[in-house]
Amino acid sequence: QAVLTRLPSPSLFGSDIDPVLLAAAYQTRSRFRFALTDPKKQRFEVPHENVGPFSGPAASNLKYKVDVQQNPFGIKVTRASNGKVLFDTTIGPLLYAEQFLQLSIKLPSSNVYGVGEHVHKQYQHDVRWKTWPIFSRDAAPSANMDNLYGVQTFFLCLEDNTGASLGVFLMNSNAMEFALQPAPAVTYRTTGGILDFYVFLGDTPEQVVQEYVKFIGLPALPSYWTLGFHLSRYDYGSLDAVKAVVERNRAIGLPYDVQYTDIDYMEGRKDFTYDKVNFKDLPSFQTYMHDYGQKYIIILDPAISTEALADGSSYQAYERGQSKKVWVNESDGVTPLVGEVWPGRTVFPDFTNPDCTSWWTEECKIFYNQVPYDGIWIDMNEVANFVQGSSNGCEQNELNYPPFTPHVVDRLLYSKTLCMDAVQKWGRHYDVHNLFGYSMTLSTQRAIETLFPGKRSFLLSRSTFAGSGKYAGHWLGDNAATWDHIKWAIPGMLEFGLFGIPYVGADICGFYENVTEELCRRWMQVGAFYPFSRNHNTKKCTPQDPAAFGADSVLVKSSKHYLNIRYTLLPYLYTLFYKAHTQGDTVARPVLHEFYSDEATWSVDKQFLWGPGLLITPVLDPGVDIVQAYVPDAVWYDYDSGAKIWLRKQWTQMYLPADKMGLHLRGGYVFPFQQPATTTVASRKNPMGLIIALDDNNEAAGELFWDDGESTGEPLSAS
Ligand SMILES: *[C@@H]1O[C@H](CO)[C@@H](O)[C@H](O)[C@H]1NC(C)=O
Ligand SMILES: *[C@@H]1O[C@H](CO)[C@@H](O)[C@H](O)[C@H]1NC(C)=O
């Protein structure tokens, strides 16, 4: 510990904190933590399940060395093995005021990856003065540098071609900015809470991710069926229309496990209700799906309507929540804050309140007893509100109008969400806004444990925070059917791998806008290799489920071909998820994680790997059948033909006509497989086998994890 006193200088935003207390700990041999707090007053700290006090013995045999510089204060973390400075805050001053905290870090290289949620367009950051706002927001991904749904404050830095890497995580949930500079350096600039930094050292990028993810929470092991293909759209209009889509995709023999209904299944878009006219048979829909070995997932939004049902009867879910007083309150701490979302006037459940979790769990159960379902998709949990702050506006005060506002969308913190002075159990919305989706995930996980005891089910969340991956997967939000979006999905997906949320994918064929056959065909090809593989579409757009393009279309033929390969390789994919779940490995893996000694891989983001062994090279441009692709330094075999390709460590022109994408198996690996079928219920009964891809020495090795695919208990067998 050390006490830091402020050097004389003009105040930037007022209310400077002086002195500041520094606490630091050698937590493990590869993890260093330090925090800066106000010794005179308790400031907001994220009540994260994995953060503890500074206590316990110091780790020994450290991979790092720490030096603290005085006048002015700075902290330097050095790699013990080679003396390289990895993390150096002496590049800029520490600023610590009531609502403005800033620290800059000089880095050993400009190979920086991560931090979100944004569309970065490229996986390797551009360090030429780019400032990214971080604040959870219901905003559609676009070319703008907008803050999007989730809050992820972790980045990885590859030091050099030895693979040595570091990771940096700031545990802070306030609205903030992350600025990259060419020094190379980064600056975290946040509007509250404390500065609580974690520095992770690894010998490889994978090791850094493992260290980080072990700290914030190892990702959930998905149930096997959730690795199948999913179909969804907003506004099918009726259950008959849903069934027609299900039937036509069954009829073409598409590998397909999961069907969703979006908010149009509800009555008046109210959670825990269903449209008794257009979806009158919804109570038997799960059985209809199960009869074919398929599953059914519902959507739930946080906002709860305050109004009665159409027939004048009371809306029970609201009434019960009201009597338990589980809503987010206005600044007075007692009046429920009212806003407006899909169902009209709404209140917002305070998922940081344990009573709210009990109420939510109970509502999920009551609805399940009417309309059985297999998993839950939670949306709009940034939290989204269609009026600014509340129906009564927001007061003029320093929470709603802080002295410094990061470059968030609209430059107004309460835009499209709640007033910042709203009151929740964990604290003011100002401090806990970025935890809304995370807390809703925790509550919904409780509901799932109650509904499916001993089973893993399915949970998908739009808004995430550090540690969300322990319970939920994520999709990249409301993208659009454009060639830009198909490209941006790969960096986005790789970033969520770094954040410990490996069960991730973008909406295949795009959510907004009408998709062309060509784009949808290319997207079905690459999407067959998203860890979370779902085709989802918005209202009023032309249908984009594969069968809609005609049973004899190239799109259907190609979609079936690649989904069959996905289903064939599910034992390999499932094993990768097991390794993510037990050690924090990535699943959809950046090429540089395997081939870091080759600088050419450091910026590859139009290709990716499944684990160490399957190289995926999609077509991401229109009118193209030749792709500029990188072949990393290994022996590779073409998946379809088994032929060895006689190139390595070079760029090549890959010929990928309309029905084809690049898929290559890496020599040295064994891939467990199973004969595919149109559902995982059926495929799991088929014979299994091994694809053995030999390396230069005619050797190969691999692993298989196998169990019943859904139990939460100890694995039945592992090898
Ligand atoms: C919100 O107000 C109700 C009274 O209406 C109160 O019982 C509840 O504890 C408050 N919740 C919070 C988080 O302040
Ligand atoms: C999509 O196509 C439909 C039917 O042709 C048309 O009505 C709709 O306006 C189109 N939507 C967009 C976003 O272009």
Side-chain angles (χ1 to χ4, degrees):
Q1 283 197 353
V3 175
L4 314 179
T5 46
R6 190 171 185 274
L7 292 173
S9 67
S11 185
L12 258 183
F13 294 105
S15 306
D16 294 299
I17 311 267
D18 187 21
V20 166
L21 183 68
L22 165 71
Y26 301 144
Q27 289 198 315
T28 72
R29 67 180 294 248
S30 42
R31 183 171 94 223
F32 172 66
R33 175 189 185 191
F34 70 94
L36 295 156
T37 56
D38 179 350
K40 290 189 262 182
K41 188 182 125 220
Q42 176 66 43
R43 294 177 59 80
F44 176 78
E45 296 186 22
V46 181
H48 195 279
E49 59 179 352
N50 291 358
V51 172
F54 282 83
S55 62
S60 56
N61 194 17
L62 302 177
K63 284 187 172 173
Y64 54 86
K65 192 169 139 305
V66 178
D67 294 294
V68 176
Q69 179 187 290
Q70 300 188 37
N71 287 321
F73 160 77
I75 200 157
K76 281 188 193 182
V77 181
T78 308
R79 187 174 279 279
S81 63
N82 60 7
K84 195 180 237 182
V85 179
L86 305 184
F87 178 106
D88 179 1
T89 74
T90 64
I91 189 169
L94 162 68
L95 301 179
Y96 209 110
E98 185 60 35
Q99 290 179 279
F100 185 82
L101 300 84
Q102 174 175 303
L103 195 67
S104 297
I105 306 153
K106 184 164 186 324
L107 297 171
S109 92
S110 52
N111 308 312
V112 179
Y113 308 88
V115 166
E117 183 174 4
H118 313 112
V119 171
H120 290 140
K121 298 187 190 170
Q122 57 189 53
Y123 181 54
Q124 183 180 30
H125 268 284
D126 180 353
V127 299
R128 290 169 304 175
W129 305 104
K130 299 287 177 207
T131 299
W132 295 95
I134 303 180
F135 191 56
S136 61
R137 163 87 192 200
D138 174 11
S142 73
N144 304 331
M145 292 177 67
D146 291 345
N147 48 307
L148 299 180
Y149 315 102
V151 167
Q152 300 291 344
T153 53
F154 171 79
F155 71 86
L156 180 145
C157 177
L158 173 71
E159 293 159 34
D160 53 40
N161 63 9
T162 66
S165 302
L166 88 143
V168 174
F169 172 61
L170 171 61
M171 180 59 94
N172 180 291
S173 60
N174 285 85
M176 69 174 92
E177 273 177 7
F178 179 75
L180 296 123
Q181 300 127 70
V186 296
T187 298
Y188 285 96
R189 195 175 285 141
T190 185
T191 59
I194 62 166
L195 294 177
D196 188 6
F197 280 97
Y198 296 79
V199 182
F200 304 86
L201 277 81
D203 299 336
T204 64
E206 278 293 290
Q207 265 187 24
V208 167
V209 178
Q210 290 163 357
E211 292 296 328
Y212 171 61
V213 171
K214 278 178 196 155
F215 165 64
I216 48 125
L218 286 160
L221 178 63
S223 27
Y224 200 87
W225 60 266
T226 67
L227 302 183
F229 177 66
H230 304 221
L231 258 188
S232 179
R233 83 164 293 165
Y234 175 28
D235 213 15
Y236 282 109
S238 71
L239 191 60
D240 289 342
V242 177
K243 285 182 177 173
V245 170
V246 173
E247 294 293 342
R248 72 181 180 219
N249 285 283
R250 286 177 181 174
I252 59 167
L254 187 77
Y256 158 40
D257 264 72
V258 188
Q259 180 61 49
Y260 293 59
T261 53
D262 203 322
I263 55 172
D264 48 299
Y265 77 78
M266 300 174 182
E267 179 188 325
R269 296 159 165 185
K270 291 180 169 71
D271 278 353
F272 310 117
T273 69
Y274 69 97
D275 179 337
K276 302 271 186 348
V277 179
N278 295 314
F279 285 80
K280 71 173 182 320
D281 292 330
L282 204 60
S284 60
F285 187 61
Q286 188 202 41
T287 306
Y288 163 87
M289 293 299 289
H290 284 192
D291 285 347
Y292 197 79
Q294 294 173 309
K295 304 289 192 290
Y296 171 47
I297 288 171
I298 60 162
I299 193 171
L300 289 174
D301 287 344
I304 296 293
S305 166
T306 61
E307 277 145 34
L309 299 178
D311 66 2
S313 63
S314 74
Y315 175 34
Q316 294 288 314
Y318 168 68
E319 296 298 339
R320 286 186 288 259
Q322 179 73 357
S323 70
K324 289 187 167 150
K325 304 188 189 309
V326 298
W327 315 131
V328 175
N329 289 327
E330 289 184 2
S331 60
D332 66 2
V334 290
T335 311
L337 183 150
V338 174
E340 217 172 283
V341 196
W342 295 118
R345 271 173 63 89
T346 66
V347 287
F348 299 86
D350 175 15
F351 293 103
T352 71
N353 177 351
D355 292 340
C356 180
T357 301
S358 311
W359 161 80
W360 181 252
T361 299
E362 191 59 24
E363 295 305 327
C364 288
K365 196 158 131 193
I366 294 169
F367 187 61
Y368 180 86
N369 290 336
Q370 294 172 61
V371 176
Y373 49 86
D374 295 298
I376 303 175
W377 164 30
I378 53 178
D379 196 14
M380 305 294 284
N381 52 0
E382 290 69 35
V383 57
N385 178 7
F386 297 164
V387 295
Q388 306 287 67
S390 88
S391 302
N392 300 326
C394 300
E395 284 169 37
Q396 187 77 38
N397 60 36
E398 70 287 353
L399 294 179
N400 293 323
Y401 299 92
F404 167 76
T405 299
H407 278 251
V408 297
V409 176
D410 298 336
R411 294 303 293 271
L412 179 68
L413 293 183
Y414 63 75
S415 175
K416 216 175 179 191
T417 189
L418 311 184
C419 297
M420 290 295 120
D421 55 5
V423 178
Q424 298 187 236
K425 278 283 187 265
W426 279 357
R428 292 282 178 171
H429 196 70
Y430 182 82
D431 294 316
V432 303
H433 170 82
N434 286 338
L435 301 170
F436 197 95
Y438 177 68
S439 59
M440 186 182 185
T441 298
L442 296 178
S443 298
T444 309
Q445 175 60 21
R446 283 280 299 282
I448 280 176
E449 286 163 12
T450 310
L451 291 174
F452 311 101
K455 299 263 181 75
R456 278 176 248 147
S457 182
F458 169 91
L459 177 53
L460 183 71
S461 180
R462 194 167 74 180
S463 185
T464 63
F465 189 75
S468 285
K470 183 172 171 186
Y471 308 100
H474 175 64
W475 86 105
L476 298 174
D478 296 344
N479 65 357
T482 71
W483 292 94
D484 278 339
H485 282 265
I486 192 176
K487 289 188 193 76
W488 298 340
I490 297 176
M493 186 170 71
L494 297 179
E495 285 168 353
F496 274 88
L498 301 183
F499 307 150
I501 311 181
Y503 186 69
V504 62
D507 281 340
I508 296 167
C509 300
F511 178 67
Y512 289 119
E513 301 185 25
N514 291 329
V515 74
T516 61
E517 184 275 343
E518 183 189 15
L519 175 57
C520 194
R521 168 165 38 81
R522 293 306 194 183
W523 216 325
M524 284 298 297
Q525 292 169 355
V526 62
F529 297 90
Y530 292 167
F532 167 56
S533 182
R534 179 180 77 164
N535 175 321
H536 178 48
N537 191 3
T538 192
K539 65 193 302 189
K540 299 205 172 93
C541 279
T542 48
Q544 62 185 36
D545 55 290
F549 293 87
D552 300 324
S553 61
V554 182
L555 184 145
V556 164
K557 193 172 141 253
S558 190
S559 300
K560 283 175 61 178
H561 180 71
Y562 288 106
L563 284 172
N564 270 315
I565 295 175
R566 178 188 183 87
Y567 276 55
T568 303
L569 291 176
L570 281 183
Y572 176 67
L573 181 64
Y574 192 54
T575 302
L576 294 177
F577 270 107
Y578 177 74
K579 297 189 66 153
H581 175 62
T582 51
Q583 331 177 151
D585 292 14
T586 59
V587 174
R589 189 168 297 173
V591 176
L592 79 103
H593 280 211
E594 290 293 321
F595 299 95
Y596 44 74
S597 60
D598 175 4
E599 283 189 36
T601 66
W602 296 356
S603 58
V604 170
D605 59 10
K606 294 189 166 56
Q607 297 168 278
F608 60 100
L609 295 156
W610 263 12
L614 179 71
L615 178 65
I616 295 143
T617 308
V619 179
L620 305 172
D621 284 294
V624 154
D625 59 11
I626 290 177
V627 164
Q628 183 77 358
Y630 194 70
V631 184
D633 191 8
V635 178
W636 297 96
Y637 303 88
D638 178 73
Y639 186 92
D640 283 322
S641 68
K644 190 166 175 173
I645 60 167
W646 296 95
L647 305 165
R648 62 202 281 171
K649 206 178 177 197
Q650 67 185 82
W651 289 94
T652 187
Q653 307 269 327
M654 220 177 261
Y655 176 57
L656 301 170
D659 61 345
K660 198 154 163 63
M661 71 185 292
L663 273 190
H664 294 89
L665 296 167
R666 181 175 173 188
Y669 290 84
V670 176
F671 302 82
F673 73 86
Q674 192 161 27
Q675 213 175 79
T678 52
T679 66
T680 55
V681 168
S683 73
R684 285 180 60 90
K685 295 175 182 150
N686 284 345
M688 299 182 79
L690 302 174
I691 301 170
I692 300 167
L694 299 177
D695 66 9
D696 290 323
N697 303 318
N698 286 330
E699 287 173 0
E703 287 161 292
L704 169 66
F705 170 77
W706 201 244
D707 68 354
D708 70 0
E710 59 178 4
S711 294
T712 53
E714 287 302 302
L716 300 176
S717 65
S719 64

